[in-house]
Amino acid sequence: MTPAFHYKNGRLYCEALDLHAFSREVETPFYIFSKSELENNCRQINEMGKGLSFLPCYAMKANYNPTLLTIIRDMGLGADVVSGGELQFALKVGFDPQKIVFAGVGKTKEEIELAMKTGIHSLNIESAQEFELVADLAGTHRQKVRIALRVNPDIEAHTHAYISTGKHINKFGIPEREAEKLYLKAAENPWLEVAGIHIHIGSQITTSGPFEDASKFMREFAERLKKQGVPITFLDLGGGIGINYHNNFKKDEPTTYIKDILPVYLEGLKSPGMELVLELGRAVVGSAGILVSKVLYQKETPQKKFLIVDGAMNNLIRPSLYQAYHEIVPLMDRYKSSQVYDVVGPVCETGDFLARERSLPPIPAGEYLAVVGAGAYGQALASNYNLRPRIAEYLVDGEEVRTIFKQETIEDIFNRFER
Ligand code: LLP
């Protein structure tokens, strides 16, 4: 199968769409998504869970465009939400409430009540005080709530410090000993249906080692609870499976690590009658989207060569925030030489870059480049910094392309202010 993003006669295509020709018709920068890549990622995840009691959920934080959510819903995935806003979006696009899980360290009373009213798969509690609030609300409303506790396993995920979540220095989850006590307490509360254990150790994890540690932890903890009479019926394994931010155009390179990691993770945990829940964000949508940007200027100082492009940190903050690497490629592959460039945007910050010290062809002003693997945590983290409107998102399905997010205008932004 031809990969969703590929070169044909030296031109970059998204499915059957010539991206160079398309870029000349629309405003840049923009995000563009491949429906087939998105579906393919969902299909791979579903296949890994065959024969298991399996609920893969999509972590909506990665990208909450309703059109993409609808495709993901149609592929049978549930939704992992971390705010009342995400819960409302999930319901609006028709996710089955029974397939929605809700975690987050700072849920408000209103968010907990909304989740209770909706009757979701599970509310994942992250602290002793939240536990008390949920128990109080359930009693007051005389409504049973299905819960899991998010346990902090103190496992090293070997990823960037900002997206590592499973160590005791992180704000997430409840340490094992304290969680054990809360489970025993919950089992005695008639308004709490204690059903699951939840963990999530981090994001963009590219090897199976940390997941093996996580699955061992879950297995042992579930056993211990069961022995004490706590009825654990599901394990929510979190997300965190990474994607390949390098070499996306080599045919033998995978775009995600779903196949490399997921079987190992699930294998370690399957047991009769136990439902396995996942919360994958990046692995679902990351490889399905790219950011297309136009070169505005080339600029040289005694020490550096810059490609100044119209996309910036307000569109894709990952390089600035996590020193993240995204492959950058020209839309027209017709260059014979390369130079070392910093690819920078127009935003007034030295930290505004899409790549540093990157060997790239000398793409001239007016020509385009693509920042690859930008489907997750790209537009979702976008801002209006420097009064730059949020950019359009397009979806490609074969030869067809349609707008799925209309570019904001300065008027839109201005009109949102009270004057
Ligand atoms: N479940 C929980 C509880 C999470 O905190 C996260 C991500 C996920 C699932 C989904 O993780 P994924 O499968 O996408 O790795 N903005 C950062 C990533 C932040 C991830 C936060 N939590 C980035 O651009 O790398």
Side-chain angles (χ1 to χ4, degrees):
M1 197 177 72
T2 316
F5 294 98
H6 60 276
Y7 282 99
K8 198 162 85 187
N9 304 326
R11 303 166 81 96
L12 187 63
Y13 277 72
C14 174
E15 302 194 16
L17 183 81
D18 174 344
L19 286 170
H20 190 269
F22 181 69
S23 301
R24 292 171 68 145
E25 283 170 23
V26 296
E27 261 188 77
T28 55
F30 60 84
Y31 280 100
I32 191 157
F33 294 86
S34 154
K35 187 174 182 211
S36 73
E37 177 73 10
L38 183 59
E39 288 178 338
N40 193 32
N41 289 339
C42 295
R43 203 169 295 122
Q44 271 190 24
I45 294 166
N46 286 333
E47 272 165 23
M48 304 289 137
K50 273 208 180 119
L52 301 172
S53 167
F54 187 52
L55 175 59
C57 292
Y58 167 61
M60 281 176 57
K61 61 177 82 67
N63 188 320
Y64 50 79
N65 184 300
T67 304
L68 303 181
L69 292 178
T70 304
I71 295 170
I72 294 166
R73 181 209 65 193
D74 287 347
M75 291 301 293
L77 274 67
D80 161 37
V81 305
V82 289
S83 69
E86 287 190 355
L87 178 52
Q88 289 178 60
F89 255 47
L91 296 173
K92 273 181 195 294
V93 305
F95 278 97
D96 176 354
Q98 292 297 306
K99 289 185 172 182
I100 299 178
V101 296
F102 188 175
V105 287
K107 298 181 210 74
T108 62
K109 175 172 172 279
E110 291 72 24
E111 288 175 320
I112 294 167
E113 283 174 336
L114 176 63
M116 282 169 51
K117 205 168 87 199
T118 310
I120 59 174
H121 179 281
S122 63
L123 191 68
N124 299 346
I125 294 172
E126 300 223 18
S127 67
Q129 289 195 354
E130 186 191 350
F131 177 90
E132 295 306 335
L133 177 60
V134 172
D136 275 1
L137 291 173
T140 310
H141 295 295
R142 306 187 69 73
Q143 192 172 354
K144 199 155 180 161
V145 195
R146 193 159 191 261
I147 62 160
L149 299 188
R150 176 166 174 183
V151 184
N152 183 317
D154 203 29
I155 287 174
E156 176 57 60
H158 300 293
T159 183
H160 190 276
Y162 288 3
I163 53 176
S164 172
T165 55
K167 294 284 290 173
H168 280 166
I169 54 162
N170 304 130
K171 68 180 173 179
F172 300 99
I174 307 172
E176 197 180 336
R177 294 275 159 230
E178 190 185 2
E180 195 169 333
K181 286 188 196 132
L182 290 175
Y183 272 110
L184 294 171
K185 199 165 164 190
E188 283 168 10
N189 185 322
W191 299 111
L192 299 179
E193 181 191 342
V194 206
I197 307 174
H198 175 216
I199 61 169
H200 172 77
I201 55 174
S203 193
Q204 183 51 16
I205 305 169
T206 55
T207 54
S208 53
F211 292 103
E212 283 166 34
D213 296 345
S215 82
K216 180 167 181 284
F217 172 87
M218 286 286 251
R219 212 168 38 238
E220 291 173 0
F221 193 50
E223 274 313 308
R224 215 161 62 235
L225 291 178
K226 276 185 170 172
K227 275 192 194 131
Q228 297 175 81
V230 182
I232 298 299
T233 55
F234 78 88
L235 302 176
D236 180 339
L237 318 180
I241 292 181
I243 66 169
N244 186 359
Y245 283 110
H246 298 259
N247 298 325
N248 276 287
F249 296 92
K250 290 198 184 124
K251 277 215 166 75
D252 46 353
E253 288 274 342
T255 52
T256 79
Y257 296 112
I258 295 169
K259 280 188 180 164
D260 304 84
I261 292 176
L262 199 46
V264 181
Y265 201 15
L266 296 177
E267 184 60 36
L269 285 162
K270 62 180 186 196
S271 76
M274 187 68 87
E275 183 186 30
L276 300 181
V277 179
L278 280 174
E279 303 169 349
L280 296 174
R282 192 187 317 261
V284 175
V285 78
S287 64
I290 62 172
L291 170 68
V292 173
S293 186
K294 185 159 70 185
V295 176
L296 298 173
Y297 305 103
Q298 293 193 355
K299 176 170 169 173
E300 222 175 304
T301 71
Q303 274 156 30
K304 284 268 188 191
K305 288 187 170 53
F306 295 98
L307 287 181
I308 303 174
V309 301
D310 58 4
M313 66 187 289
N314 76 300
N315 307 117
L316 180 67
I317 204 171
R318 302 197 68 260
S320 311
L321 194 56
Y322 317 110
Q323 297 77 47
Y325 182 99
H326 282 263
E327 189 170 10
I328 294 183
V329 294
L331 292 198
M332 290 264 237
D333 190 13
R334 60 177 172 198
Y335 307 93
K336 298 209 161 42
S337 63
S338 60
Q339 304 267 0
V340 175
Y341 292 101
D342 279 13
V343 181
V344 300
V347 163
C348 299
E349 299 238 8
T350 299
D352 173 31
F353 56 86
L354 297 174
R356 278 185 154 164
E357 302 285 321
R358 188 73 61 86
S359 178
L360 283 170
I363 307 169
E367 277 299 324
Y368 309 94
L369 51 80
V371 184
V372 184
Y377 306 112
Q379 183 83 310
L381 283 161
S383 75
N384 291 129
Y385 190 39
N386 281 200
L387 253 183
R388 290 168 50 86
R390 283 208 296 157
I391 58 180
E393 292 174 293
Y394 300 99
L395 179 71
V396 179
D397 181 7
E399 283 174 359
E400 275 170 38
V401 56
R402 67 183 173 109
T403 308
I404 58 171
F405 179 77
K406 221 169 106 206
Q407 161 146 4
E408 282 176 336
T409 64
I410 294 298
E411 280 301 297
D412 293 336
I413 303 171
F414 191 73
N415 289 336
R416 252 181 255 144
F417 290 90
E418 297 285 344
R419 296 186 297 281

